[in-house]
Amino acid sequence: MRNKRTLTLAALSIGALALSACGSAGGTAGTTASDSAEENLATTINVAISQAPTGFNGNTAATNSVYNGYISNLTTSGFAAFTAAGELEANPDFGTYEKVSDDPLTIKYTIDDDAVWSDGVPIDYDDVLLSWAAMSGTHPSGEKDAETGAESDLFLASSTNGFAQTEMIEGEPGDKEFELVFSEPYADWEALLTGDLIMPAHIAAEQGGMSADSDGAELVEAIQAKDTAALTPVAEFWNSGWDYEVDLPKLPDTALLPSSGPYKLDNATNGTLTLVKNDKYWGEERAGKTDTIVFKTIVDEEAVQALQNGDVDVIDPSSPSVDTKTALEQIGETVTVDTGTSMTFSHIDLDQRPGAVFEDVKVRQAFNACTPRADMVDKFVTPIDPEGTVMNLREYQPGQPDYDTVLDGAPAAQGDGVADIEGAKKLLEEAGKTEPVKVSLMYASTSQLRADMVALVKDSCDKAGFEIIPQPEAEWSAKLSQPGAWDAVVFGWSGSGLVASGQSIYVSDGEQNFGGYADEEVDRLWTEIATTTEADKVPALKTELEQRLAETQYNVVLYANADIIGSSSKLEGVEMNPTQTGITWNAYSWTKQN
């Protein structure tokens, strides 16, 4: 077994802090094979993923997952993409962009003249305008949320970060050039029109009862006029019309799924999804090198055996354990292994709405105190990544240079993670709790690691005055946004390294603020952070943010997940990417020797 460890460093991209990874498994994207080797390349590469993809459009609150992202890395294109170093890199295949003004912040974009969807329809203004409409939160539905009283938007976007600060994109049907004008600065402006954010407007228009003729003129007119009646069926399709059936038994009609990337969707059966080269792809730098890439849904516990058997060529387990590492080490020289720390971190979110179990901050603090975070690190992280440690911040991870500086300035966030049973008991007493506090703790039923984590929490917190009730759920992610469906939930956020990507998780009424947390000071700080384009000002602002999130006990943050990539030694080009982009960030360049 060839074994390499990915080192974690840090880098600054434009307006963003990003985690960078150095090192590779089985070569790099720049590896040049000999002529004889090229003649002996396999036509198919098989990739294991831990959960089946759930939708073609990964931009809704229900479909915003890394597993959909693994596919869209290959089937969609945008003006920029994340590298393995966690930095944004321009994608000249798709087009070009440049900042033309700072006041107001204005970016000029030009889509490549040859850019088309895989069904031959040009990629142009209507596609970009639909993305803006869907992600900006500027098309109210007229209906109010029963819980918050806030008016909902027609489009159920996973986040409106960034787009909410922009003006409507001006243009005409068929335009390949346009400008994005910001009403106020936005730290992560460069990341707004990347990858799967641009969906095929002609499909949404047709499925919403509109004509797609004349370069989408009817849809363009409806968006520009904010015609709620006309846009409602379009938004309904955008929200759920591209969703897949549970466990992906088959694909919808592939005519509804045109690609803008080097690969396109071909077929699916029983959780196995097949991509083939997009014969309409116009680019050169990101053109696919292998004819077919197949994604196979395989639970983490079976992934190593699938790799050893040759059923798959690369695995990237979502929750690797020490057993994963041991099993890979026993395979031998036919496998290359890369280990390191990912930008995904595990945490426990808490329902703190009025009347909920964790409404009282002292109850939240008691739960944090009894959670055996250090024990979790010892059992689940350091056997894989010896540098693993308890994570005390939410916006920075151990290993990033600013982590220690920010933590030093946020005393409320400091701690060794050792369970404090007596301290938890005292906090529950102060909260007036005289009976055990029942907590239904939800987790993915397919993950043995999550089950083991919940068992540790129960063993510890039951001693402190809680009664932890394990709640395994196969469709746990679908329940996240359902108030009352859980009291606490353990899962992971997959980070990007951007400045403002976490905003919707923490602000009041944020699209990904599933526990109903609300704090005016946190809202104020996020507004300032998101509009800061000077990277050197970010750490001080986020220090204040981390202090406030810890004081109010937003959630229980656990640790940065260890990461293991296992791949066939015949596979070239695989390189770990610690960001949410994942292992397939450069899969278009992978090749496999027969």
Side-chain angles (χ1 to χ4, degrees):
M1 180 190 72
R2 288 181 289 163
N3 198 334
K4 297 185 179 181
R5 172 176 171 79
T6 296
L7 302 177
T8 55
L9 306 171
L12 286 175
S13 59
I14 299 177
L17 292 170
L19 189 69
S20 171
C22 302
S24 63
T28 68
T31 299
T32 302
S34 67
D35 291 340
S36 60
E38 289 180 357
E39 293 174 359
N40 195 34
L41 292 179
T43 59
T44 300
I45 292 174
N46 296 294
V47 183
I49 50 176
S50 301
Q51 295 181 25
T54 58
F56 181 62
N57 177 16
N59 298 302
T60 73
T63 58
N64 181 30
S65 77
V66 294
Y67 305 106
N68 292 328
Y70 285 178
I71 311 303
S72 65
N73 285 340
L74 299 173
T75 59
T76 65
S77 294
F79 287 96
F82 280 100
T83 69
E87 297 175 310
L88 278 170
E89 179 180 73
N91 176 15
D93 277 1
F94 190 79
T96 60
Y97 61 96
E98 63 174 329
K99 183 168 66 171
V100 295
S101 173
D102 285 308
D103 188 18
L105 178 61
T106 304
I107 316 301
K108 180 180 179 180
Y109 294 88
T110 302
I111 301 173
D112 191 277
D113 286 339
D114 296 327
V116 296
W117 297 100
S118 57
D119 58 8
V121 175
I123 301 173
D124 50 33
Y125 176 68
D126 64 327
D127 301 303
V128 173
L129 185 63
L130 175 62
S131 295
W132 175 84
M135 305 301 291
S136 61
T138 54
H139 289 77
S141 64
E143 300 179 357
K144 292 188 176 181
D145 185 279
E147 182 185 356
T148 65
E151 188 170 15
S152 60
D153 197 79
L154 287 176
F155 298 91
L156 304 179
S158 59
S159 171
T160 59
N161 291 356
F163 284 101
Q165 284 93 276
T166 62
E167 306 291 342
M168 182 184 294
I169 301 172
E170 296 183 0
E172 300 291 335
D175 283 354
K176 288 277 191 175
E177 292 185 355
F178 61 93
E179 290 187 347
L180 190 60
V181 181
F182 290 76
S183 55
E184 56 184 355
Y186 182 63
D188 297 325
W189 64 265
E190 198 174 8
L192 287 188
L193 289 173
T194 56
D196 62 356
L197 285 169
I198 302 175
M199 298 299 296
H202 63 289
I203 300 297
E206 290 174 339
Q207 296 301 304
M210 292 185 180
S211 169
D213 295 342
S214 303
D215 298 311
E218 188 175 354
L219 176 61
V220 168
E221 182 179 351
I223 294 174
Q224 291 177 338
K226 295 190 175 182
D227 186 339
T228 300
L231 288 175
T232 295
V234 175
E236 289 175 348
F237 180 80
W238 190 93
N239 292 336
S240 61
W242 276 309
D243 290 358
Y244 304 147
E245 294 180 47
V246 175
D247 296 329
L248 195 62
K250 61 182 180 180
L251 279 179
D253 182 356
T254 54
L256 302 178
L257 315 173
S259 168
S260 61
Y263 288 85
K264 62 182 180 181
L265 298 162
D266 184 66
N267 68 83
T269 179
N270 297 324
T272 294
L273 176 61
T274 299
L275 308 183
V276 296
K277 276 188 182 181
N278 175 6
D279 54 359
K280 291 289 197 302
Y281 187 69
W282 64 96
E284 295 181 0
E285 291 194 13
R286 294 172 181 263
K289 289 188 176 182
T290 298
D291 293 342
T292 304
I293 297 181
V294 179
F295 290 88
K296 297 183 177 182
T297 304
I298 300 174
V299 296
D300 287 350
E301 289 75 19
E302 299 174 6
V304 175
Q305 188 64 54
L307 179 64
Q308 184 173 8
N309 292 346
D311 296 331
V312 295
D313 300 303
V314 59
I315 65 172
D316 181 16
S318 62
S319 302
S321 66
V322 63
D323 291 339
T324 308
K325 183 178 181 181
T326 300
L328 283 170
E329 289 173 343
Q330 292 174 349
I331 295 177
E333 292 297 322
T334 59
V335 169
T336 298
V337 179
D338 197 358
T339 64
T341 303
S342 73
M343 289 193 71
T344 297
F345 66 95
S346 293
H347 56 94
I348 303 176
D349 275 13
L350 311 172
D351 186 358
Q352 46 199 283
R353 295 174 175 83
V357 171
F358 291 106
E359 178 184 8
D360 190 327
V361 66
K362 288 189 180 296
V363 178
R364 301 199 296 272
Q365 290 171 336
F367 187 73
N368 179 72
C370 69
T371 298
R373 301 188 300 142
D375 196 18
M376 289 184 185
V377 171
D378 290 341
K379 284 181 169 63
F380 307 133
V381 183
T382 53
I384 304 168
D385 178 11
E387 297 179 17
T389 184
V390 168
M391 185 170 159
N392 286 319
L393 301 178
R394 295 162 177 84
E395 284 293 293
Y396 295 93
Q397 297 188 4
Q400 289 183 262
D402 287 318
Y403 179 87
D404 289 335
T405 300
V406 172
L407 186 59
D408 285 345
Q414 297 169 11
D416 59 12
V418 175
D420 181 3
I421 304 301
E422 294 305 315
K425 287 180 178 179
K426 182 178 179 181
L427 285 164
L428 287 179
E429 289 175 4
E430 292 174 0
K433 303 298 181 181
T434 57
E435 299 291 332
V437 178
K438 294 183 178 181
V439 175
S440 184
L441 179 51
M442 185 170 72
Y443 64 95
S445 61
T446 57
S447 173
Q448 184 59 49
L449 172 62
R450 294 304 188 207
D452 292 343
M453 293 171 70
V454 170
L456 285 180
V457 174
K458 179 173 177 57
D459 181 66
S460 180
C461 289
D462 280 7
K463 299 172 183 174
F466 289 95
E467 181 183 343
I468 306 300
I469 304 168
Q471 183 187 342
E473 296 282 357
E475 301 300 320
W476 65 273
S477 60
K479 293 180 177 289
L480 280 175
S481 57
Q482 299 176 14
W486 47 274
D487 299 321
V489 53
V490 56
F491 66 105
W493 280 123
S494 187
S496 65
L498 298 173
V499 171
S501 60
Q503 185 175 13
S504 64
I505 297 173
Y506 303 103
V507 296
S508 304
D509 301 325
E511 296 89 347
Q512 295 172 302
N513 178 2
F514 301 119
Y517 173 85
D519 186 84
E520 292 182 357
E521 178 65 7
V522 167
D523 291 347
R524 181 194 69 78
L525 285 166
W526 265 118
T527 297
E528 191 169 355
I529 290 165
T531 56
T532 298
T533 57
E534 298 177 52
D536 59 347
K537 293 183 178 180
V538 171
L541 289 170
K542 287 202 171 180
T543 299
E544 293 184 58
L545 174 70
E546 294 284 2
Q547 174 69 10
R548 187 60 184 167
L549 289 172
E551 288 174 343
T552 55
Q553 200 66 62
Y554 168 82
N555 63 357
V556 178
V557 64
L558 302 174
Y559 55 77
N561 293 4
D563 203 356
I564 294 180
I565 305 298
S567 61
S568 166
S569 297
K570 296 179 180 179
L571 199 60
E572 295 186 351
V574 176
E575 189 171 354
M576 183 181 286
N577 188 322
T579 74
Q580 62 193 14
T581 305
I583 188 62
T584 62
W585 71 279
N586 70 335
Y588 56 84
S589 70
W590 293 355
T591 58
K592 177 188 174 184
Q593 297 295 319
N594 273 319

